[in-house]
Amino acid sequence: MARIIVITSGKGGVGKTTTSAALAMGLAQRGHRTAVIDFDVGLRNLDLIMGCERRVVYDFVNVINGEASLNQALIRDKRCDSLYILPASQTRDKEALTKEGVGKVLEELSQGFDFIVCDSPAGIEHGATMAMYYADDAVVVTNPEVSSVRDSDRMLGILSSKSRRAETNAEPIREFLLLSRYDPARVANGEMLSVEDVQEILSLDLLGVIPESRAVLNASNAGVPVILDGESDAGKAYGDAVARYLGEQVPHRFLTVQKKGFFSRLFGG
Amino acid sequence: MSLLDYFRSSRSKGTASVAKERLQILVAHDRSERHRPSYLPKLQREILDVIRKYVEVDMSAVSVNYEQEASREILELNIILPDTARNRA
Ligand SMILES: Nc1ncnc2c1ncn2[C@@H]1O[C@H](COP(=O)(O)OP(=O)(O)OP(=O)(O)O)[C@@H](O)[C@H]1O
Ligand SMILES: [Mg+2]
């Protein structure tokens, strides 16, 4: 049986897809059979971030409608054997994801995988509720900014009332906070909410703090999940988050301003 | 306080603390709305109907308040009866 993880936020553009790609790759690299699903119907871009956009033949909705089998639609990652991607459909029909259809696909995937990572679309509408409905765990991606924190809190309300676990009175979804686009220099200046501030408001287990990083754009330009850029701050921070998700105790890094070394100061690195 | 001091103090406080205060209020409000049982309006109407069997009161006579604290939930009913002296008369 696979564990189903939803990457969610409420607010758009906070880093869900970046996080889905990184966590899925991180789990797979550790040998866990992992599938990552794009729930953003009509606006698919997980395939771009994963660098497999030219290999998309069938998609999630094709599988739900019985137009393709799961095996036909799943794309195996070229860098990591245990990672598969299920792309979103480009259809305009947002209702194409039905609760029964999604449930059937997840059920079938559960047989062969250890983890299923669901990349949620923004908002609290149909697509987002479908992505979280069957979740066992939720990673709430939040930026240190008022509207993002507020939306995360609203998402927590939905997770605890409208999910399968809530409706069947099962053990509640495990919820984690992933604070992204964190800028320690601005926090030090009092211009940005600190990780402690956000924790105090949301009181969630902190899965990780991902710094605002140039590596993220570079990675998405190249279609390489940023976690594979092991030299970068964001790559390392995502690596730590994967370790924490798997139960390891890892201290948080990149929470304070990095002192620049002599050479990087000299060359403005 | 010199102008320089003013800038220093406003920087050390920063806008993040304003953001945090606003969020704390907003999130507390969102949560209390979320946890309010959905039966409250109906409860209020039915209580009003019962009271009206005995006393002549208007809509605003019954107020229902719901609060959630750490270890308990409080359902507060407030019924304002009309002036008793006049009622007896
Ligand atoms: N840690 C980071 N540092 C810098 N840029 C980032 C970081 N995380 C994400 N970004 C950038 O923010 C933008 C949005 O990221 P992403 O697509 O992952 O968000 P999303 O939550 O999936 O958006 P949507 O709600 O539209 O699906 C992208 O341009 C990405 O490169
Ligand atoms: Mg996205």
Side-chain angles (χ1 to χ4, degrees), chain A residues 145-146 149-150 153-154 156-157 189-193 197 200-203, chain B residues 11-17 19-20 22-24 26-27 29-31 34:
Chain A
E145 172 265 319
V146 281
V149 176
R150 187 206 192 172
D153 189 68
R154 295 175 67 190
L156 292 173
N189 281 341
E191 290 175 9
M192 184 181 266
L193 291 165
D197 292 339
E200 202 181 312
I201 292 162
L202 295 178
S203 35
Chain B
R11 190 165 66 203
S12 70
K13 202 157 182 292
T15 51
S17 56
K20 184 178 177 187
R22 291 174 62 213
L23 266 171
Q24 278 168 328
L26 199 59
V27 164
H29 180 259
D30 285 350
R31 285 181 189 167
R34 203 189 293 157

Side-chain angles (χ1 to χ4, degrees), chain A residues 26 42 45 119 204 223 241:
Chain A
N45 48 33
D119 180 18
L204 289 177

Side-chain angles (χ1 to χ4, degrees), chain A residues 141-175:
Chain A
V141 182
T142 307
N143 293 164
E145 172 265 319
V146 281
S147 52
S148 173
V149 176
R150 187 206 192 172
D151 284 2
S152 293
D153 189 68
R154 295 175 67 190
M155 209 61 227
L156 292 173
I158 295 173
L159 285 166
S160 62
S161 61
K162 301 221 171 81
S163 60
R164 176 175 61 172
R165 282 176 176 267
E167 286 178 2
T168 58
N169 282 319
E171 202 182 306
I173 294 175
R174 292 196 301 169
E175 299 158 339

